[in-house]
Amino acid sequence: HVQLVESGGGSVEAGRHLRLSCAASGHSSNRNCMAWFRQIPGEEREEVAYIDSDGVTSYADSVKGRFTISKDNAKNTLYLKMNNLEPEDTAMYTCAAEHVCPIIFETAHRGQGTQVTVS
C-alpha cells in the first residue's frame, strides 16, 4: 500500500514561488513513476509533470520553464518547485504514483492534495 502526503501549498502573489512536497511510503516499486496533477473546479484535471524511475521528466506546456519536478529517493519525497506563479496556476495540486508511466489518475495511488492560490 502506498501513502502520499502533500504539503507546501498556500496563497501567494503572482510572480512569487512555492515548493510542494509529497512524502511517500509503501513499496518503492509502486512508486516508479510519480507525478503532480492539478484541478480547478469545473475544469479538466491536468497532469502538471511526471518523473520516472530513471529521472526522466515531462511537463505540461503551461508550466514548462517555470516548474521543476524532482525527487529525493533517500527521503522518499517528491517535489514540485513552482516559479513565477500566475493566477492561472491556482488549483488543487495532487501527488500520484504508479509502478509505470504514464499515470492514470483515477486508478493511481494518490494523496489528498494541497491548495495553491495565486492572486
Side-chain angles (χ1 to χ4, degrees), residues 38-46 87-92:
R38 67 183 182 184
Q39 184 159 27
I40 302 167
E43 297 189 14
E44 287 192 8
R45 184 177 298 108
E46 177 184 33
E88 293 74 21
D89 296 317
T90 295
M92 177 67 75

Side-chain angles (χ1 to χ4, degrees), residues 45 76 79 87:
R45 184 177 298 108
N76 290 320
Y79 301 102

Side-chain angles (χ1 to χ4, degrees), residues 4 6 34-39 44-49 92-98 100 102-114:
L4 304 170
E6 302 94 336
M34 298 192 74
W36 288 98
F37 289 79
R38 67 183 182 184
Q39 184 159 27
E44 287 192 8
R45 184 177 298 108
E46 177 184 33
E47 183 182 66
V48 175
M92 177 67 75
Y93 286 73
T94 303
C95 170
E98 259 298 4
V100 293
I103 289 178
I104 307 299
F105 184 84
E106 288 75 9
T107 57
H109 306 284
R110 307 186 296 272
Q112 293 299 308
T114 185

Side-chain angles (χ1 to χ4, degrees), residues 80-93:
L80 185 68
K81 181 66 185 300
M82 306 184 294
N83 293 327
N84 194 22
L85 282 161
E86 303 169 351
E88 293 74 21
D89 296 317
T90 295
M92 177 67 75
Y93 286 73

